[in-house]
DNA sequence: CGAATATATTCCAATATTGGAATATGTCAA
DNA sequence: TTGACATATTCCAATATTGGAATATATTCG
């Protein structure tokens, strides 16, 4: 069928490069009005507002009013989910040789357990 | 205009839940034929092949022939990019209070530097 | 109130994505 | 060679996404 909503989860939200840039800028500045982001990243205002809406929907940013401005702030807690997920595979890029062996042994154990199902 | 290709980078590749599942299974098993993935995840074979193609395009998996099977293996090195990126924001979820203060101070310094540009 | 500023929203076109069905390709086995 | 098996590819429909232009919605100021 179709494809799944970008607002579904954090992984989809940070898949868009411009949104990652917004996150980076917000992390540096701490809190910014929309216009500040527009000027910093040289994006169109509607585009920025839309990206912020997506990030807010997922909980990566929060906003508050200040005069006629709307100030956005990074709420990195949501990014922890990504960190935790990807960290599970840390062994795959660190300690190259050791991890390869460890992985192979682990796999061997797993396969011994359910040898009849997989690998047909 | 349109949207950008999902095969562009790792972030887009792991944005799709089914692909994350494939990564998880490959990490556990070490190496799997397509059929093993099909049975484990209960997905249709063409769907699995397509997802594997995307993952391979980005470099997250590699494949090798073994008889009439094609064995896929996780190449987690590519995931390091995601890890590195998201780790930059670790302060936003760990040591809650300390990091908030540190961030505020950092922002204050930044803003003092270019106070006339931003925040209008 | 009326004008200006800041931001959000709507509408639109171009394009990408996903899953499913059918089919193609490749490889082993008898 | 023929058939069975494993996987990839193509074609299709439904849907989502992105950016841009125009417009709507506050909110402040004079």
């Amino acid at each position: 069928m179709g494809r799944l909503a970008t607002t579904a989860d954090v992984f989809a939200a940070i898949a868009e490069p411009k949104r990652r840039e917004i996150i980076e800028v917000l992390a540096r500045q701490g809190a910014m009005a929309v216009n500040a982001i527009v000027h910093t990243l040289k994006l169109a205002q509607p585009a920025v507002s839309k990206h912020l809406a997506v990030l807010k929907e997922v909980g990566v940013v929060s906003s508050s009013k200040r005069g006629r401005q709307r100030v956005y702030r990074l709420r990195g807690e949501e990014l922890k989910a990504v960190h935790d997920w990807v960290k599970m595979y840390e062994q795959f890029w660190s300690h190259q040789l050791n991890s390869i062996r460890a992985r192979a042994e682990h796999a061997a154990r797993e396969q011994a357990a359910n040898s009849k199902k997989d690998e047909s």
Side-chain angles (χ1 to χ4, degrees), chain A:
Chain A
M1 291 189 194
R3 74 192 317 263
L4 64 175
T6 194
T7 66
D9 68 344
V10 195
F11 288 91
I14 67 170
E16 158 66 49
K18 305 271 175 59
R19 284 199 286 266
R20 287 203 298 278
E21 288 187 39
I22 291 180
I23 291 176
E24 290 162 18
V25 169
L26 282 180
R28 278 203 300 276
Q29 305 287 16
M32 293 175 90
V34 178
N35 233 331
I37 301 175
V38 167
H39 285 123
T40 303
L41 297 185
K42 292 177 182 169
L43 297 177
Q45 176 263 314
V48 172
S49 282
K50 287 174 202 168
H51 283 313
L52 285 171
V54 172
L55 292 174
K56 187 175 181 181
E57 179 78 23
V58 171
V60 172
V61 303
S62 64
S63 73
S64 60
K65 289 183 187 172
R66 189 172 68 186
R68 49 188 139 180
Q69 301 189 331
R70 194 155 301 205
V71 177
Y72 283 84
R73 179 180 302 275
L74 181 60
R75 294 193 53 72
E77 295 85 358
E78 295 300 323
L79 293 176
K80 187 177 188 306
V82 179
H83 181 263
D84 290 349
W85 184 82
V86 80
K87 194 172 171 54
M88 293 173 55
Y89 311 107
E90 199 170 17
Q91 53 167 335
F92 282 86
W93 67 74
S94 64
H95 317 107
Q96 195 75 4
L97 293 186
N98 278 346
S99 69
I100 285 176
R101 199 182 52 190
R103 194 162 70 249
E105 289 169 359
H106 183 69
R109 252 177 289 128
E110 292 266 357
Q111 284 187 353
N114 39 357
S115 57
K116 51 195 171 308
K117 282 190 354 207
D118 298 336
E119 305 283 335
S120 72

